[in-house]
Amino acid sequence: MERSESVDEDVQASVYLENDEIRERDGGCTLRIGEDALVCSSEHEIDVGFCQNEQRKSEEETMGEFDEQSGLVVERKEFDAPAVGMEFESYDDAYNYYNCYATEVGFRVRVKNSWFKRRSKEKYGAVLCCSSQGFKRINDVNRVRKETRTGCPAMIRMRQVDSKRWRVVEVILDHNHLLGCKLYKSVIRTGTKRKCVSSPVSDAKTIKLYRAHVIDNGNNVNPNSTLNKKFQDSAGSPDLLSLKRGDSAAIYNYFCRMQLTNPNFFYLMDVNDEGQLRNVFWADAFSKVSCSYFGDVIFIDNSNISGKFEIPLVTLTGVNHHGQTTLLSCGLLAGETVESYHWLLKVWLGVMKCSPQTIVTDRCKPLEAAISQVFPRSHHRFSLTHIMRKIPEKLGGLHNYDGVRKAFTKAVYETLKVVEFEAAWGFMVHNFGVIDNEWLRSLYEERAKWAPVYLKDTFFAGIAAAHPGETLNPFFERYVHKQTPLKEFLDKYELALQKKHREETLSDLESLTLNTAELKTKCSFETQLSRIYTKDMFKKFQVEVEEMYSCFSTTQVHVDGPFVIFLVKERVQGESNRREIRDFEVLYNRSVGEVRCICSCFNFYGYLCRHALCVLNFNGVEEIPLRYILPRWRKDYKRLHFADNSLTGFVDGTDRVQWFDQLYKNALQVVEEGAVSLDHYKVAMQVLQESLDKVHSVEEKQD
């Protein structure tokens, strides 16, 4: 559909420009979502020092000089550097602007890449870079001409937007070489060729520039900027991201560095009409792959915002095949507003292309509203961990606090039926006189979203924390504290991810070497899943197999055709460590092998409970039915998941992001399988090297 014309071949830049986009309107700004950071633009017209058919002012008033060769008036003392969000009426205007900036700073410009639509031949994207960018090709090394390139990273990337203007979407200002004397020779872009043009002052061209700086709330803008006062007047607004001086630059520099080392790293910065930063989103390649595997159940943690942390961090996490928390993406938000959460979730949906089955969050009305808008079909549930942690804060002032806390805990964890929960709750509020407590009243009104007795039909993959002592902790719990500054967090961020990735890799290796010596019973259920599940998930299931021996009675109490209700008695540990006997009802369908316990362990944790196993064993079933062996816990889940998607998925011949995702997943399989043993490692390394050589041979043929 589209073609690229390039002076220097640059796959990465073309990938960024050719990504599919998702557009939405939010507060009058156009959001563009692709594999790069495209920023909302504003309509603030700024004079950058070009004039036409006007009498030239004195040098003292304009602080500029006239270039006789280019016909451009350049304001040298207040020349704004390129910034993400700048817009120009045409490509020529954008080119001339960057060329004049280069003249002022002391370097020359060349066109690195240009992109054209195939049918209309209309240009829609370009990368302008420093003339010292890149290096000579191998075939050109022996030429007499002296090497002048240094691999300089300085560049701007721009593209045409819906308004037909040209917007700057990426800027790198730093050079890796000495800048020469200011160059007073400039060029005007005309058509497809560049030429120097001489013209009088009266013919100097007017270029309209629409600026949208990304700035800190602490007025971290260019002091020479003509919009400085406007930024100062709006600083400290509650709908802006709360950052200290230099934080926004630290964020952007970090993202640029990540894109160099992680080509599929994605980030988006949302700014308002004044160019001030509101929200930020990012996700790396590993997170995107993890989301494709484990995006069925996610936890949105906004505790840093509600807890008034210095970093307004929001994390979206899932549960991998080892039952470990895996990061799916991060965000920095201006505040707890529906608009901010809606923006974050909409971007996440557009990037990950994943609609979760279950979403778990803290109780937050704006977040709840945003989820209902973006994911109307998902089951939104509240985190029981967060509710239990707030008991001391919300009820600690009561004179009978200990009694209320115990009654609350008993109503939540020890009731198996709705009628039992209602009775226990009624006893608590009436017996302790807390019927008018506002927090308890609001909890009761929303009980269907957090109380375990109401959530038995919702799949949680272990995130529910439905048993006493289980907690749902923040992903960066050990790395982020209330006073942690943003710059420190960005340094710790990579360390935290490396540690998590290492844990998952080690768990993969341990799962491949699981042997029968680790079996603790002679139960066929244990043997069956020891061959299928990852080691960590098998250990959790193994506990249920062992606890089958605490269930001493399985009796049939009701029959209705193929449906049979069994009563399983179990000795459990009650108050003061006393042993108690509890009854668990289990529904069994003999015709289809369906079993369902009233404790709903399978939906909460993803594996059958001891009571269901007892009923299967009672009915002579020797293997767990396949419907209760979830693929997401298998040790080979990633390989099977990728194979299924590869067979049915369509590969777009123009979507380089899709190419990257599939190549990344394929390579990841080779890495994981190659780490099993030294022999596997040697074979994997040989295959990877052979593949790389073949890819290089394609480039040589094209040259």
Side-chain angles (χ1 to χ4, degrees), residues 195-255:
K195 60 182 180 180
C196 293
V197 180
S198 298
S199 56
V201 179
S202 60
D203 292 334
K205 188 177 181 181
T206 298
I207 292 181
K208 291 182 179 180
L209 167 63
Y210 301 83
R211 290 296 300 273
H213 272 301
V214 178
I215 65 170
D216 300 325
N217 294 343
N219 307 329
N220 185 29
V221 296
N222 186 343
N224 295 326
S225 172
T226 57
L227 293 182
N228 191 28
K229 187 176 185 303
K230 183 179 292 187
F231 291 141
Q232 291 176 344
D233 293 340
S234 60
S237 177
D239 62 344
L240 300 178
L241 188 60
S242 179
L243 297 176
K244 292 184 177 180
R245 184 176 296 276
D247 280 353
S248 63
I251 295 173
Y252 181 73
N253 290 336
Y254 173 76
F255 289 165

Side-chain angles (χ1 to χ4, degrees), residues 12 16 35-39 83-84 153-157 169-174 247-269 280-283 490 494:
Q12 182 175 341
Y16 293 161
E35 290 301 319
D36 56 306
L38 302 184
V39 187
V84 173
M155 53 79 75
I156 65 170
R157 180 162 51 89
V169 295
E170 183 180 357
V171 175
I172 298 178
L173 298 177
D174 296 333
D247 280 353
S248 63
I251 295 173
Y252 181 73
N253 290 336
Y254 173 76
F255 289 165
C256 289
R257 187 172 76 251
M258 288 299 295
Q259 281 192 324
L260 291 176
T261 58
N262 191 336
N264 213 25
F265 182 89
F266 171 90
Y267 70 93
L268 187 70
M269 305 177 80
V280 179
F281 171 91
W282 73 92
L490 293 177
E494 294 183 69

Side-chain angles (χ1 to χ4, degrees), residues 400-419:
N400 50 3
Y401 166 71
D402 288 338
V404 175
R405 179 180 56 81
K406 290 180 181 179
F408 187 98
T409 302
K410 185 173 183 178
V412 171
Y413 291 118
E414 297 184 17
T415 57
L416 294 174
K417 299 179 180 179
V418 171
V419 64

Side-chain angles (χ1 to χ4, degrees), residues 5 28-30 134 152 460 473 476 485 535 544 563 663 666 691:
E5 179 183 272
C29 293
T30 302
C152 180
F460 286 94
N473 297 320
F476 295 105
K535 185 175 182 179
E544 297 301 318
F563 298 97
L663 287 170
N666 250 336
S691 300

Side-chain angles (χ1 to χ4, degrees), residues 529-563:
L529 291 196
S530 69
R531 299 190 299 262
I532 301 174
Y533 276 4
T534 62
K535 185 175 182 179
D536 291 317
M537 292 309 303
F538 169 70
K539 292 293 184 183
K540 294 178 180 180
F541 173 76
Q542 193 176 43
V543 173
E544 297 301 318
V545 175
E546 291 182 275
E547 291 299 322
M548 287 175 62
Y549 296 98
S550 65
C551 302
F552 60 91
S553 174
T554 302
T555 56
Q556 180 177 303
V557 295
H558 180 75
V559 179
D560 184 9
F563 298 97

